[in-house]
Amino acid sequence: MNQIKRIGRALLFLLVGGGLAGPAGATAQDSSARLTLSEAQAIVEAAQRDATSKNLRLSIAVVDGRGDLIAATRMEDARATTMDTAIGKAMGSAIFGRPSADLAADSGSPLYQDLNEAAGGRLRFFQGAVPIVRDGFTVGAVGASGASSQDDEDNVKAALTAVGL
Amino acid sequence: MFRNQQRGSVLLSGVLVVVLSAAPAASQQRGAPAAPPGPTAEQAMAALHSAQETAEELGVSLSCAVVDSRGDLIALARMDGARFYTTDVARGKARISALFGQPSGDMADFGSSPAFQSFNETLSGPLYPFQGALPIMRGDDVIGAMGCSGAASQVDEDAVRAALAVFGDSR
């Protein structure tokens, strides 16, 4: 019974999440548009360099267009809990195709709560993650956590600029 | 009467000793609060690269995760072509390996016990008691664990073992 419920939720998640994702209204299905691990790791490393230069200690996570984790790192002295926050912000940002800061205002709505339940309660609707867009498609998102939300967001934007995305 | 009681308590303590030493927690779970410094983020990422190289040589796609001694994630990577859920499995294997200081493959029996279920619920995160993760040791201390998922579990474990040298753990 529980399993049926879970499958139902997952379906809802796919339908609603798929419908909302991406500035172009779609996530990339084309394999050439997908984010690779080496790209994801380059983004994480660029974010780490930016954080080090600003004396910040962050967790950084990159997810694909479906919100599934590709790469994550927690820097030395970043709090352990920052990791799941970084992942959760990135997941929300990828699924909605919007900066997680834009999602904060609506995060109390039943739709967002249902989506989060379908995602196993992992989504975090706080500033600090932005979508990764290629050819008009949301191919993923990168999120950071560990500093002020504004610093988190500035960090991931700087990382994307550094790698040319 | 007194002798019987004594014998009973000796028996009971014997049973207790056997039960306790059979519990996976008893052997290595030392000093969790005063945990030794864990693997650095730099080491963790180097270990992930090492596991990726092993996986590429073997023609498989893996997700691998490095956690500290408390089971908290330090670094994770999912190779292109690895299924999406392998990230959670790699992390969950590494977590149980770190928490008990044992290879996750040694925990299969524990995984089918009711105690495991309540433990899993208490920690409110998935623990996977399947082969594919090994603890990272510094001397006698468990400083973390690394787990991989995506291929046959022996291959997962082999990729981890090959990467352990990065942490100065030369088993």
Side-chain angles (χ1 to χ4, degrees), chain A:
Chain A
M1 192 58 204
N2 258 339
Q3 213 155 13
I4 295 174
K5 250 192 214 164
R6 230 175 277 154
I7 291 167
R9 272 193 214 129
L11 278 176
L12 170 81
F13 189 51
L14 279 172
L15 289 172
V16 180
L20 289 171
T27 47
Q29 299 299 325
D30 180 3
S31 64
S32 66
R34 276 186 203 152
L35 208 58
T36 64
L37 172 58
S38 53
E39 286 176 313
Q41 283 176 327
I43 295 167
V44 169
E45 281 161 20
Q48 279 183 307
R49 279 193 298 274
D50 178 75
T52 303
S53 74
K54 296 170 182 166
N55 204 22
L56 303 176
R57 304 283 177 267
L58 305 178
S59 284
I60 301 127
V62 176
V63 302
D64 64 19
R66 170 66 176 75
D68 291 321
L69 189 57
I70 302 176
T73 302
R74 168 159 57 95
M75 293 172 66
E76 233 57 24
D77 298 327
R79 286 171 201 273
T81 49
T82 55
M83 184 59 109
D84 282 324
T85 308
I87 296 171
K89 287 191 217 179
M91 286 177 79
S93 178
I95 289 162
F96 286 89
R98 294 164 64 192
S100 60
D102 293 1
L103 308 173
D106 296 327
S107 62
S109 87
L111 169 66
Y112 280 48
Q113 286 173 14
D114 285 351
L115 277 172
N116 201 1
E117 208 181 319
R122 298 181 190 198
L123 306 185
R124 299 285 180 271
F125 302 116
F126 314 133
Q127 186 179 22
V130 295
I132 302 167
V133 180
R134 177 148 61 203
D135 303 331
F137 290 101
T138 298
V139 294
V142 51
S145 170
S148 73
S149 320
Q150 186 64 55
D151 284 344
D152 292 344
E153 185 179 290
D154 291 346
N155 172 261
V156 295
K157 282 181 171 167
L160 289 182
T161 305
V163 300
L165 275 164

Side-chain angles (χ1 to χ4, degrees), chain B residues 21-80:
Chain B
S21 57
S27 61
Q28 301 260 14
Q29 183 83 340
R30 68 190 74 179
T40 64
E42 203 177 332
Q43 285 175 328
M45 290 179 85
L48 293 179
H49 281 295
S50 163
Q52 278 167 46
E53 278 168 22
T54 307
E56 276 160 16
E57 280 166 25
L58 297 170
V60 295
S61 296
L62 303 178
S63 284
C64 297
V66 178
V67 302
D68 63 20
S69 61
R70 194 194 172 284
D72 288 322
L73 188 61
I74 298 174
L76 180 147
R78 169 163 58 97
M79 291 173 67
D80 302 338

Side-chain angles (χ1 to χ4, degrees), chain B residues 60-63 86 93 131 148-156:
Chain B
V60 295
S61 296
L62 303 178
S63 284
T86 54
K93 286 190 208 176
Q131 187 180 26
C148 290
S149 166
S153 51
Q154 183 65 54
V155 176
D156 294 342

